[in-house]
Amino acid sequence: MRTVEQCAEESSADVSVMTTLLEARLLAGRAELLGAHAHRARAGAPLAVKEFFEAKVREQAERHLKANDTAYNLEPNVKTGPGGLRDIQTIAWVAKRISAAPTRSMPW
């Protein structure tokens, strides 16, 4: 368990933590804490949209290299290989990061 401030600190150190926090949802507990976290993610996200996108592209390239960088294996890795589930999730995470960003920080 972490405070909102600790979540912000951890996400600034690791893009995978920031990605995980984008998926945060209330299962039990106080809704105002989730609201504070969501506000912090929108207002003071440690990575700008462009930086987050570039970090996810680097992460994707590394993952593809581990999966032999081909989707045409006899037994392809449907989770982490090129065109797999993780690529689809990456698109969703980048879209969530864009929608969570304040409009003044949009790069376009």
XYZ file of all heavy atoms in Angstrom:
828
model
N 0.840 -1.168 0.000
C 0.000 0.000 0.000
C 0.885 1.231 0.000
O 1.907 1.268 0.674
C -0.924 -0.020 1.201
C -1.867 -1.206 1.145
S -3.106 -1.313 2.435
C -3.801 0.261 2.503
N 0.461 2.234 -0.753
C 1.210 3.478 -0.892
C 0.288 4.673 -0.770
O -0.898 4.593 -1.061
C 1.893 3.539 -2.258
C 2.902 2.480 -2.490
C 3.555 2.693 -3.842
N 4.558 1.685 -4.058
C 4.683 0.981 -5.169
N 3.877 1.199 -6.174
N 5.619 0.082 -5.286
N 0.867 5.786 -0.382
C 0.122 7.045 -0.386
C 0.105 7.580 -1.812
O 0.830 7.092 -2.684
C 0.790 8.090 0.539
O 2.074 8.415 -0.004
C 0.929 7.572 1.961
N -0.681 8.607 -2.040
C -0.741 9.234 -3.358
C 0.629 9.788 -3.723
O 1.098 9.646 -4.860
C -1.819 10.341 -3.394
C -1.776 11.110 -4.696
C -3.202 9.736 -3.181
N 1.306 10.398 -2.754
C 2.644 10.948 -2.998
C 3.647 9.841 -3.340
O 4.478 10.011 -4.227
C 3.128 11.742 -1.785
C 2.368 13.028 -1.567
C 2.455 13.968 -2.755
O 3.542 14.116 -3.329
O 1.415 14.547 -3.105
N 3.577 8.727 -2.633
C 4.483 7.612 -2.926
C 4.224 7.050 -4.320
O 5.165 6.672 -5.019
C 4.331 6.507 -1.873
C 4.877 6.878 -0.521
C 4.514 5.870 0.546
O 3.457 5.224 0.495
N 5.392 5.722 1.532
N 2.978 6.997 -4.728
C 2.648 6.547 -6.089
C 3.276 7.464 -7.121
O 3.828 7.000 -8.128
C 1.130 6.493 -6.284
S 0.321 5.158 -5.407
N 3.208 8.763 -6.880
C 3.794 9.732 -7.813
C 5.303 9.559 -7.884
O 5.892 9.594 -8.966
C 3.435 11.153 -7.397
N 5.944 9.347 -6.736
C 7.395 9.145 -6.709
C 7.798 7.881 -7.465
O 8.741 7.893 -8.253
C 7.888 9.058 -5.268
C 7.846 10.363 -4.517
C 8.173 10.192 -3.042
O 8.770 9.154 -2.669
O 7.830 11.092 -2.259
N 7.080 6.796 -7.221
C 7.391 5.527 -7.885
C 7.177 5.614 -9.387
O 7.955 5.085 -10.170
C 6.553 4.391 -7.296
C 6.946 3.983 -5.900
C 8.323 3.354 -5.839
O 8.691 2.588 -6.758
O 9.034 3.624 -4.870
N 6.107 6.288 -9.807
C 5.831 6.376 -11.243
C 6.829 7.262 -11.968
O 7.078 7.069 -13.160
C 4.403 6.852 -11.502
O 4.230 8.171 -11.062
N 7.423 8.210 -11.255
C 8.443 9.033 -11.900
C 9.734 8.259 -12.101
O 10.525 8.579 -12.981
C 8.704 10.300 -11.090
O 9.288 9.978 -9.846
N 9.940 7.205 -11.324
C 11.155 6.404 -11.431
C 11.023 5.274 -12.449
O 12.030 4.800 -12.968
C 11.511 5.822 -10.071
N 9.803 4.836 -12.737
C 9.622 3.662 -13.586
C 8.345 3.805 -14.414
O 7.252 3.946 -13.864
C 9.538 2.416 -12.697
C 9.507 1.112 -13.466
O 9.524 1.140 -14.717
O 9.464 0.053 -12.822
N 8.497 3.745 -15.741
C 7.344 3.910 -16.635
C 6.346 2.759 -16.479
O 5.144 2.947 -16.670
C 7.787 4.085 -18.101
C 8.319 2.803 -18.679
C 6.651 4.630 -18.947
N 6.808 1.579 -16.099
C 5.872 0.464 -15.916
C 4.970 0.706 -14.705
O 3.802 0.302 -14.709
C 6.608 -0.866 -15.792
O 7.420 -0.885 -14.644
N 5.477 1.389 -13.686
C 4.638 1.740 -12.535
C 3.599 2.767 -12.959
O 2.428 2.667 -12.598
C 5.492 2.262 -11.358
C 4.614 2.785 -10.233
C 6.421 1.174 -10.852
N 4.021 3.752 -13.760
C 3.077 4.746 -14.252
C 1.980 4.084 -15.083
O 0.801 4.436 -14.973
C 3.789 5.810 -15.075
C 2.898 6.946 -15.491
S 3.840 8.206 -16.340
C 2.587 9.409 -16.619
N 2.364 3.103 -15.890
C 1.392 2.368 -16.693
C 0.402 1.637 -15.798
O -0.809 1.651 -16.043
C 2.120 1.362 -17.608
O 3.064 2.071 -18.402
C 1.147 0.624 -18.497
N 0.903 1.009 -14.755
C 0.044 0.286 -13.817
C -0.933 1.234 -13.140
O -2.116 0.919 -12.989
C 0.905 -0.434 -12.763
O 1.777 -1.339 -13.430
C 0.046 -1.193 -11.772
N -0.449 2.407 -12.756
C -1.316 3.362 -12.075
C -2.383 3.945 -12.996
O -3.431 4.384 -12.526
C -0.476 4.471 -11.441
C 0.412 3.997 -10.280
C 1.291 5.140 -9.783
C -0.407 3.401 -9.161
N -2.136 3.935 -14.303
C -3.174 4.373 -15.244
C -4.383 3.441 -15.202
O -5.496 3.841 -15.517
C -2.627 4.409 -16.673
C -1.719 5.565 -17.029
C -1.107 5.340 -18.412
C -2.464 6.879 -16.990
N -4.140 2.190 -14.819
C -5.204 1.186 -14.764
C -5.900 1.129 -13.406
O -6.739 0.257 -13.186
C -4.613 -0.196 -15.081
C -4.091 -0.340 -16.484
C -5.194 -0.454 -17.514
O -6.302 -0.920 -17.185
O -4.941 -0.055 -18.655
N -5.551 2.020 -12.490
C -6.099 1.986 -11.134
C -7.620 2.123 -11.153
O -8.183 2.911 -11.914
C -5.486 3.095 -10.293
N -8.251 1.336 -10.321
C -9.711 1.413 -10.171
C -10.071 1.031 -8.745
O -9.312 0.363 -8.060
C -10.416 0.520 -11.174
C -10.075 -0.942 -11.038
C -10.604 -1.732 -12.221
N -10.248 -3.121 -12.148
C -9.072 -3.635 -12.471
N -8.104 -2.851 -12.875
N -8.837 -4.919 -12.380
N -11.212 1.461 -8.302
C -11.639 1.234 -6.931
C -12.229 -0.166 -6.790
O -13.185 -0.514 -7.481
C -12.674 2.284 -6.515
C -13.139 2.208 -5.072
C -11.973 2.520 -4.137
C -14.273 3.176 -4.837
N -11.635 -0.943 -5.928
C -12.184 -2.256 -5.585
C -12.831 -2.193 -4.211
O -13.894 -2.751 -3.995
C -11.095 -3.325 -5.589
C -10.407 -3.585 -6.925
C -9.304 -4.613 -6.757
C -11.417 -4.053 -7.966
N -12.166 -1.531 -3.302
C -12.673 -1.345 -1.948
C -11.941 -0.158 -1.356
O -10.852 0.203 -1.804
C -12.423 -2.595 -1.110
N -12.539 0.464 -0.362
C -11.867 1.578 0.295
C -12.519 2.909 -0.007
O -13.683 2.969 -0.399
N -11.734 3.955 0.160
C -12.257 5.312 0.041
C -12.106 5.838 -1.382
O -11.011 5.918 -1.928
C -11.532 6.212 1.028
C -11.793 5.787 2.461
C -11.110 6.599 3.537
N -10.544 7.848 3.129
C -9.446 8.350 3.685
N -8.816 7.692 4.612
N -8.988 9.513 3.286
N -13.216 6.229 -1.967
C -13.228 6.727 -3.344
C -12.468 8.038 -3.476
O -11.889 8.313 -4.529
C -14.669 6.910 -3.820
N -12.416 8.847 -2.398
C -11.715 10.126 -2.493
C -10.204 9.933 -2.675
O -9.534 10.770 -3.283
C -11.999 11.036 -1.300
C -11.620 10.479 0.048
C -12.736 9.686 0.730
O -13.775 9.445 0.115
O -12.523 9.316 1.891
N -9.646 8.827 -2.192
C -8.223 8.548 -2.423
C -7.961 8.255 -3.893
O -6.968 8.720 -4.457
C -7.750 7.375 -1.564
C -7.563 7.669 -0.088
C -7.169 6.396 0.662
C -6.528 8.751 0.122
N -8.843 7.501 -4.519
C -8.698 7.241 -5.945
C -8.875 8.537 -6.733
O -8.157 8.782 -7.692
C -9.704 6.186 -6.420
C -9.593 5.801 -7.886
C -8.222 5.171 -8.170
C -10.702 4.851 -8.274
N -9.793 9.379 -6.292
C -9.983 10.669 -6.944
C -8.744 11.545 -6.822
O -8.341 12.211 -7.779
N -8.105 11.542 -5.652
C -6.871 12.311 -5.454
C -5.762 11.774 -6.341
O -4.997 12.534 -6.932
C -6.449 12.263 -3.991
N -5.707 10.465 -6.452
C -4.695 9.839 -7.316
C -4.937 10.210 -8.773
O -4.012 10.570 -9.494
C -4.713 8.327 -7.143
C -4.018 7.601 -8.240
N -2.662 7.637 -8.399
C -4.508 6.874 -9.263
C -2.336 6.931 -9.468
N -3.441 6.469 -10.001
N -6.192 10.151 -9.216
C -6.517 10.483 -10.605
C -6.203 11.948 -10.890
O -5.673 12.276 -11.953
C -7.986 10.181 -10.889
N -6.505 12.826 -9.940
C -6.193 14.250 -10.117
C -4.685 14.444 -10.220
O -4.206 15.191 -11.069
C -6.755 15.066 -8.957
C -6.359 16.502 -9.004
N -6.893 17.378 -9.927
C -5.462 17.209 -8.281
C -6.346 18.562 -9.753
N -5.473 18.489 -8.760
N -3.934 13.755 -9.385
C -2.465 13.869 -9.411
C -1.920 13.347 -10.739
O -0.989 13.914 -11.309
C -1.876 13.090 -8.233
C -0.393 13.028 -8.180
C 0.179 14.404 -7.830
N 1.616 14.374 -7.891
C 2.403 14.590 -6.870
N 1.904 14.868 -5.693
N 3.700 14.556 -7.033
N -2.504 12.279 -11.257
C -2.057 11.709 -12.528
C -2.298 12.695 -13.669
O -1.486 12.808 -14.582
C -2.772 10.394 -12.808
N -3.424 13.422 -13.627
C -3.721 14.387 -14.684
C -2.893 15.654 -14.539
O -2.343 16.163 -15.500
C -5.211 14.753 -14.662
C -6.105 13.723 -15.268
C -7.507 14.270 -15.448
N -8.081 14.764 -14.209
C -8.724 14.012 -13.324
N -8.875 12.727 -13.533
N -9.230 14.548 -12.226
N -2.788 16.167 -13.335
C -2.175 17.474 -13.140
C -0.654 17.427 -13.046
O 0.027 18.300 -13.548
C -2.742 18.118 -11.877
N -0.123 16.416 -12.411
C 1.316 16.428 -12.161
C 2.010 15.154 -12.579
O 2.895 14.675 -11.888
N 1.606 14.585 -13.672
C 2.229 13.345 -14.131
C 3.711 13.568 -14.376
O 4.102 14.579 -14.954
C 1.545 12.850 -15.394
N 4.534 12.628 -13.919
C 5.976 12.815 -14.040
C 6.482 12.797 -15.475
O 7.483 13.410 -15.775
C 6.553 11.659 -13.233
C 5.471 10.656 -13.154
C 4.187 11.411 -13.240
N 5.814 12.108 -16.357
C 6.243 12.054 -17.756
C 5.213 12.746 -18.634
O 4.017 12.496 -18.516
C 6.370 10.604 -18.230
C 7.532 9.791 -17.694
C 7.475 8.374 -18.247
C 8.857 10.422 -18.040
N 5.683 13.598 -19.504
C 4.794 14.218 -20.478
C 4.305 13.130 -21.432
O 4.881 12.044 -21.497
C 5.534 15.310 -21.234
N 3.260 13.431 -22.163
C 2.678 12.450 -23.084
C 3.728 11.934 -24.066
O 3.863 10.729 -24.293
C 1.475 13.061 -23.831
C 0.976 12.123 -24.908
C 0.370 13.399 -22.863
N 4.507 12.833 -24.642
C 5.511 12.441 -25.627
C 6.565 11.534 -24.993
O 6.946 10.523 -25.577
C 6.163 13.682 -26.230
C 7.164 13.371 -27.317
C 7.740 14.628 -27.919
C 8.766 14.273 -28.974
N 9.399 15.453 -29.534
N 7.028 11.884 -23.796
C 8.030 11.062 -23.107
C 7.469 9.682 -22.756
O 8.170 8.674 -22.860
C 8.513 11.765 -21.841
C 9.292 13.026 -22.123
C 9.467 13.866 -20.871
O 8.678 13.713 -19.913
O 10.394 14.673 -20.846
N 6.211 9.632 -22.324
C 5.573 8.363 -22.002
C 5.485 7.498 -23.252
O 5.814 6.308 -23.223
C 4.177 8.604 -21.415
C 3.447 7.345 -21.049
C 3.788 6.640 -19.916
C 2.411 6.875 -21.840
C 3.110 5.473 -19.571
C 1.735 5.716 -21.512
C 2.082 5.020 -20.363
N 5.064 8.105 -24.369
C 4.964 7.375 -25.629
C 6.319 6.811 -26.042
O 6.433 5.639 -26.404
C 4.406 8.290 -26.719
C 4.391 7.664 -28.084
C 3.434 6.715 -28.409
C 5.345 8.001 -29.026
C 3.414 6.127 -29.661
C 5.338 7.414 -30.281
C 4.380 6.474 -30.598
N 7.355 7.643 -25.969
C 8.695 7.189 -26.360
C 9.187 6.064 -25.455
O 9.818 5.111 -25.926
C 9.667 8.372 -26.341
C 9.400 9.358 -27.461
C 10.163 10.663 -27.312
O 10.771 10.901 -26.244
O 10.144 11.463 -28.280
N 8.898 6.151 -24.165
C 9.297 5.094 -23.232
C 8.574 3.784 -23.551
O 9.173 2.701 -23.498
C 9.013 5.521 -21.796
N 7.289 3.873 -23.902
C 6.534 2.662 -24.237
C 7.032 2.055 -25.559
O 7.072 0.831 -25.699
C 5.033 2.954 -24.317
C 4.388 3.345 -23.009
C 4.720 2.440 -21.856
C 3.937 1.166 -21.833
N 4.263 0.322 -20.651
N 7.431 2.888 -26.513
C 7.978 2.379 -27.778
C 9.295 1.646 -27.518
O 9.531 0.560 -28.063
C 8.149 3.516 -28.802
C 8.981 3.074 -29.991
C 6.782 4.000 -29.266
N 10.154 2.225 -26.664
C 11.414 1.550 -26.314
C 11.146 0.218 -25.622
O 11.772 -0.802 -25.925
C 12.267 2.433 -25.405
C 13.015 3.529 -26.121
C 14.032 4.194 -25.205
N 13.463 4.709 -23.969
C 12.906 5.913 -23.831
N 12.844 6.735 -24.870
N 12.428 6.305 -22.670
N 10.193 0.225 -24.700
C 9.816 -0.996 -23.982
C 9.305 -2.057 -24.962
O 9.636 -3.233 -24.855
C 8.743 -0.635 -22.952
C 8.335 -1.731 -22.028
C 7.275 -1.238 -21.059
O 6.071 -1.293 -21.409
O 7.644 -0.784 -19.962
N 8.498 -1.629 -25.931
C 7.958 -2.539 -26.932
C 9.072 -3.130 -27.800
O 9.071 -4.336 -28.079
C 6.948 -1.802 -27.798
C 6.301 -2.658 -28.861
C 5.346 -1.851 -29.710
O 5.612 -0.697 -30.032
N 4.226 -2.453 -30.061
N 10.024 -2.316 -28.219
C 11.126 -2.799 -29.051
C 11.954 -3.838 -28.299
O 12.336 -4.878 -28.868
C 12.003 -1.635 -29.492
N 12.219 -3.590 -27.019
C 12.965 -4.554 -26.206
C 12.199 -5.866 -26.065
O 12.773 -6.943 -26.129
C 13.262 -3.957 -24.835
C 14.240 -2.805 -24.861
C 14.320 -2.064 -23.546
O 13.709 -2.516 -22.551
O 14.991 -1.028 -23.509
N 10.886 -5.758 -25.883
C 10.052 -6.950 -25.736
C 10.035 -7.759 -27.031
O 10.121 -8.988 -27.012
C 8.638 -6.522 -25.335
C 7.734 -7.648 -24.949
C 6.380 -7.181 -24.457
N 5.655 -6.436 -25.476
C 5.426 -5.132 -25.450
N 5.864 -4.394 -24.459
N 4.739 -4.550 -26.411
N 9.961 -7.081 -28.168
C 9.957 -7.777 -29.458
C 11.279 -8.494 -29.701
O 11.284 -9.594 -30.255
C 9.677 -6.798 -30.593
C 8.248 -6.368 -30.655
N 7.813 -5.449 -31.562
C 7.165 -6.698 -29.916
C 6.512 -5.239 -31.385
N 6.113 -5.990 -30.392
N 12.388 -7.884 -29.302
C 13.686 -8.551 -29.467
C 13.751 -9.852 -28.673
O 14.311 -10.845 -29.141
C 14.824 -7.617 -29.053
C 15.154 -6.513 -30.038
C 16.222 -5.592 -29.457
C 15.619 -7.090 -31.369
N 13.158 -9.842 -27.489
C 13.135 -11.059 -26.672
C 12.280 -12.142 -27.326
O 12.491 -13.329 -27.091
C 12.598 -10.761 -25.276
C 13.556 -9.983 -24.417
C 12.961 -9.741 -23.051
C 13.871 -8.905 -22.207
N 13.289 -8.600 -20.896
N 11.311 -11.741 -28.140
C 10.408 -12.696 -28.808
C 10.876 -12.984 -30.236
O 10.083 -13.331 -31.101
C 8.987 -12.160 -28.808
N 12.173 -12.839 -30.489
C 12.787 -13.102 -31.796
C 12.324 -12.144 -32.881
O 12.531 -12.396 -34.057
C 12.568 -14.549 -32.232
C 13.208 -15.519 -31.291
O 14.261 -15.246 -30.709
N 12.575 -16.666 -31.096
N 11.657 -11.059 -32.520
C 11.248 -9.995 -33.445
C 10.492 -10.504 -34.670
O 10.637 -9.973 -35.765
C 12.468 -9.163 -33.869
C 12.069 -7.756 -34.277
O 10.978 -7.308 -33.868
O 12.828 -7.111 -35.003
N 9.701 -11.528 -34.493
C 8.878 -12.011 -35.605
C 7.562 -12.575 -35.075
O 7.513 -13.144 -33.989
C 9.608 -13.084 -36.439
O 8.752 -13.485 -37.514
C 9.966 -14.293 -35.621
N 6.519 -12.393 -35.839
C 5.214 -12.953 -35.484
C 4.999 -14.293 -36.178
O 3.972 -14.923 -36.013
C 4.113 -11.980 -35.875
N 5.981 -14.720 -36.977
C 5.819 -15.919 -37.790
C 6.624 -17.091 -37.252
O 7.345 -17.757 -37.980
C 6.231 -15.616 -39.236
C 5.418 -14.509 -39.831
C 5.963 -13.245 -39.993
C 4.094 -14.698 -40.194
C 5.227 -12.205 -40.516
C 3.340 -13.674 -40.708
C 3.910 -12.432 -40.872
O 3.162 -11.415 -41.384
N 6.519 -17.368 -35.980
C 7.146 -18.539 -35.383
C 6.179 -19.712 -35.454
O 4.964 -19.525 -35.574
C 7.498 -18.274 -33.917
C 8.665 -17.345 -33.755
O 9.548 -17.293 -34.600
N 8.665 -16.602 -32.666
N 6.726 -20.910 -35.341
C 5.866 -22.083 -35.310
C 4.907 -21.994 -34.126
O 3.728 -22.332 -34.239
C 6.712 -23.361 -35.224
C 5.961 -24.674 -35.297
C 5.174 -24.762 -36.600
C 6.930 -25.833 -35.184
N 5.428 -21.531 -33.003
C 4.612 -21.300 -31.818
C 4.828 -19.851 -31.368
O 5.646 -19.594 -30.488
C 4.982 -22.267 -30.706
C 4.658 -23.700 -31.041
C 5.029 -24.654 -29.917
O 5.260 -24.189 -28.778
O 5.074 -25.847 -30.179
N 4.134 -18.873 -31.974
C 4.373 -17.468 -31.637
C 3.945 -17.148 -30.207
O 3.048 -17.786 -29.649
C 3.514 -16.708 -32.642
C 2.476 -17.666 -33.060
C 3.088 -19.033 -32.966
N 4.601 -16.176 -29.636
C 4.249 -15.712 -28.309
C 3.120 -14.687 -28.477
O 3.360 -13.544 -28.847
C 5.469 -15.073 -27.636
C 5.203 -14.728 -26.193
O 4.087 -14.451 -25.809
N 6.259 -14.738 -25.396
N 1.905 -15.112 -28.218
C 0.743 -14.255 -28.489
C 0.568 -13.144 -27.457
O -0.227 -12.240 -27.662
C -0.567 -15.073 -28.601
C -0.505 -16.010 -29.783
C -0.853 -15.831 -27.321
N 1.334 -13.219 -26.376
C 1.249 -12.142 -25.389
C 2.282 -11.053 -25.666
O 1.935 -9.886 -25.766
C 1.446 -12.684 -23.982
C 1.344 -11.612 -22.910
C 1.501 -12.184 -21.531
C 1.425 -11.095 -20.480
N 1.667 -11.626 -19.142
N 3.554 -11.422 -25.812
C 4.603 -10.407 -25.911
C 5.236 -10.294 -27.284
O 6.025 -9.394 -27.522
C 5.721 -10.679 -24.886
O 6.289 -11.958 -25.158
C 5.196 -10.615 -23.469
N 4.916 -11.180 -28.205
C 5.478 -11.108 -29.550
C 4.892 -9.962 -30.351
O 3.889 -9.354 -29.960
N 5.505 -9.631 -31.489
C 4.979 -8.553 -32.334
C 3.521 -8.801 -32.724
O 3.160 -9.898 -33.153
C 5.887 -8.596 -33.560
C 7.148 -9.227 -33.076
C 6.721 -10.222 -32.035
N 2.681 -7.794 -32.540
C 1.269 -7.909 -32.864
C 0.459 -8.643 -31.819
O -0.725 -8.910 -32.015
N 1.065 -8.939 -30.687
C 0.390 -9.686 -29.634
C -0.425 -8.816 -28.699
O -0.607 -7.602 -28.903
N -0.902 -9.436 -27.651
C -1.760 -8.769 -26.676
C -1.090 -7.534 -26.074
O -1.730 -6.490 -25.911
C -2.135 -9.749 -25.558
C -2.931 -9.193 -24.397
C -4.286 -8.707 -24.876
C -3.076 -10.237 -23.305
N 0.189 -7.624 -25.737
C 0.864 -6.497 -25.093
C 0.937 -5.278 -26.021
O 0.861 -4.149 -25.559
C 2.261 -6.917 -24.649
C 2.899 -5.973 -23.690
C 2.185 -5.843 -22.363
N 2.395 -7.003 -21.534
C 1.515 -7.457 -20.649
N 0.370 -6.836 -20.473
N 1.759 -8.509 -19.929
N 1.037 -5.495 -27.330
C 1.029 -4.373 -28.273
C -0.329 -3.661 -28.267
O -0.402 -2.437 -28.311
C 1.362 -4.832 -29.687
C 2.827 -5.176 -29.863
O 3.627 -4.889 -28.952
O 3.170 -5.737 -30.921
N -1.390 -4.436 -28.194
C -2.737 -3.855 -28.136
C -2.914 -3.087 -26.831
O -3.450 -1.974 -26.813
C -3.805 -4.958 -28.288
C -3.694 -5.575 -29.687
C -5.203 -4.410 -28.028
C -4.477 -6.854 -29.860
N -2.418 -3.664 -25.737
C -2.511 -2.981 -24.453
C -1.682 -1.696 -24.449
O -2.090 -0.699 -23.856
C -2.050 -3.908 -23.332
C -3.014 -5.039 -23.078
C -2.465 -6.071 -22.116
O -1.272 -6.330 -22.078
N -3.363 -6.663 -21.331
N -0.544 -1.705 -25.124
C 0.294 -0.507 -25.196
C -0.455 0.636 -25.861
O -0.389 1.787 -25.413
C 1.607 -0.812 -25.945
O 2.329 -1.807 -25.210
C 2.465 0.423 -26.095
N -1.185 0.330 -26.914
C -1.998 1.358 -27.582
C -3.021 1.929 -26.598
O -3.203 3.150 -26.516
C -2.694 0.771 -28.834
C -1.660 0.397 -29.887
C -3.730 1.749 -29.387
C -2.211 -0.446 -31.015
N -3.668 1.061 -25.842
C -4.665 1.513 -24.866
C -4.024 2.360 -23.771
O -4.585 3.385 -23.358
C -5.381 0.317 -24.263
N -2.830 1.979 -23.303
C -2.159 2.738 -22.246
C -1.753 4.122 -22.729
O -1.893 5.097 -22.001
C -0.948 1.975 -21.727
C -1.300 0.723 -20.984
C -2.395 0.518 -20.187
C -0.565 -0.490 -20.972
N -2.388 -0.752 -19.688
C -1.266 -1.400 -20.149
C 0.617 -0.911 -21.570
C -0.819 -2.687 -19.913
C 1.057 -2.204 -21.328
C 0.351 -3.073 -20.511
N -1.253 4.206 -23.948
C -0.880 5.519 -24.492
C -2.135 6.385 -24.643
O -2.117 7.575 -24.308
C -0.119 5.368 -25.829
C 0.047 6.715 -26.518
C 1.248 4.717 -25.600
N -3.227 5.798 -25.089
C -4.484 6.551 -25.217
C -4.968 7.032 -23.851
O -5.422 8.177 -23.716
C -5.549 5.689 -25.885
N -4.844 6.187 -22.825
C -5.243 6.609 -21.479
C -4.359 7.728 -20.968
O -4.832 8.648 -20.309
C -5.192 5.431 -20.507
C -6.353 4.498 -20.638
C -6.301 3.407 -19.601
C -7.474 2.467 -19.796
N -7.539 1.439 -18.775
N -3.077 7.658 -21.256
C -2.158 8.707 -20.818
C -2.491 10.024 -21.513
O -2.461 11.077 -20.900
C -0.698 8.304 -21.092
C 0.314 9.358 -20.732
C 0.268 9.669 -19.235
N 1.087 10.823 -18.943
C 0.615 12.059 -18.756
N -0.676 12.284 -18.821
N 1.424 13.050 -18.493
N -2.836 9.943 -22.793
C -3.218 11.156 -23.523
C -4.495 11.745 -22.939
O -4.587 12.945 -22.716
C -3.378 10.864 -25.027
C -2.006 10.604 -25.654
C -4.081 12.013 -25.740
C -2.064 10.084 -27.067
N -5.472 10.907 -22.651
C -6.739 11.417 -22.123
C -6.601 11.897 -20.684
O -7.370 12.743 -20.244
C -7.835 10.361 -22.227
O -7.564 9.278 -21.364
N -5.605 11.394 -19.939
C -5.394 11.827 -18.557
C -4.600 13.113 -18.477
O -4.593 13.780 -17.454
C -4.672 10.735 -17.766
N -3.910 13.481 -19.567
C -3.049 14.666 -19.552
C -3.877 15.931 -19.635
O -4.884 15.977 -20.338
C -2.075 14.615 -20.722
N -3.451 16.971 -18.931
C -4.126 18.254 -19.106
C -3.887 18.773 -20.515
O -2.836 18.535 -21.097
C -3.466 19.162 -18.060
C -2.223 18.470 -17.658
C -2.377 17.018 -17.981
N -4.844 19.457 -21.081
C -4.762 19.875 -22.468
C -3.597 20.815 -22.735
O -3.067 20.849 -23.827
C -6.065 20.548 -22.920
O -6.354 21.620 -22.012
C -7.203 19.565 -22.936
N -3.142 21.547 -21.735
C -2.033 22.484 -21.960
C -0.710 21.784 -22.208
O 0.215 22.377 -22.728
C -1.914 23.451 -20.787
C -1.458 22.802 -19.507
C -1.431 23.828 -18.368
N -0.920 23.264 -17.160
C -1.583 22.446 -16.342
N -2.806 22.075 -16.645
N -1.029 21.991 -15.243
N -0.590 20.486 -21.842
C 0.678 19.787 -22.042
C 0.685 18.915 -23.291
O 1.636 18.206 -23.518
C 0.994 18.932 -20.817
O 0.126 17.834 -20.770
N -0.380 18.974 -24.068
C -0.406 18.188 -25.280
C 0.656 18.676 -26.257
O 0.798 19.888 -26.461
C -1.776 18.259 -25.975
C -2.876 17.611 -25.197
S -2.604 15.842 -25.131
C -4.157 15.314 -24.495
N 1.408 17.759 -26.871
C 2.489 18.189 -27.757
C 2.010 18.674 -29.114
O 2.775 19.218 -29.867
C 3.339 16.929 -27.885
C 2.399 15.805 -27.646
C 1.389 16.329 -26.668
N 0.764 18.512 -29.460
C 0.303 18.933 -30.780
C -0.728 20.027 -30.680
O -1.353 20.331 -29.808
C -0.261 17.765 -31.595
C -1.188 16.892 -30.829
C -2.518 17.050 -30.671
C -0.847 15.727 -30.070
N -3.029 16.066 -29.882
C -2.044 15.242 -29.510
C 0.332 15.062 -29.820
C -2.056 14.109 -28.706
C 0.283 13.945 -29.029
C -0.895 13.477 -28.487
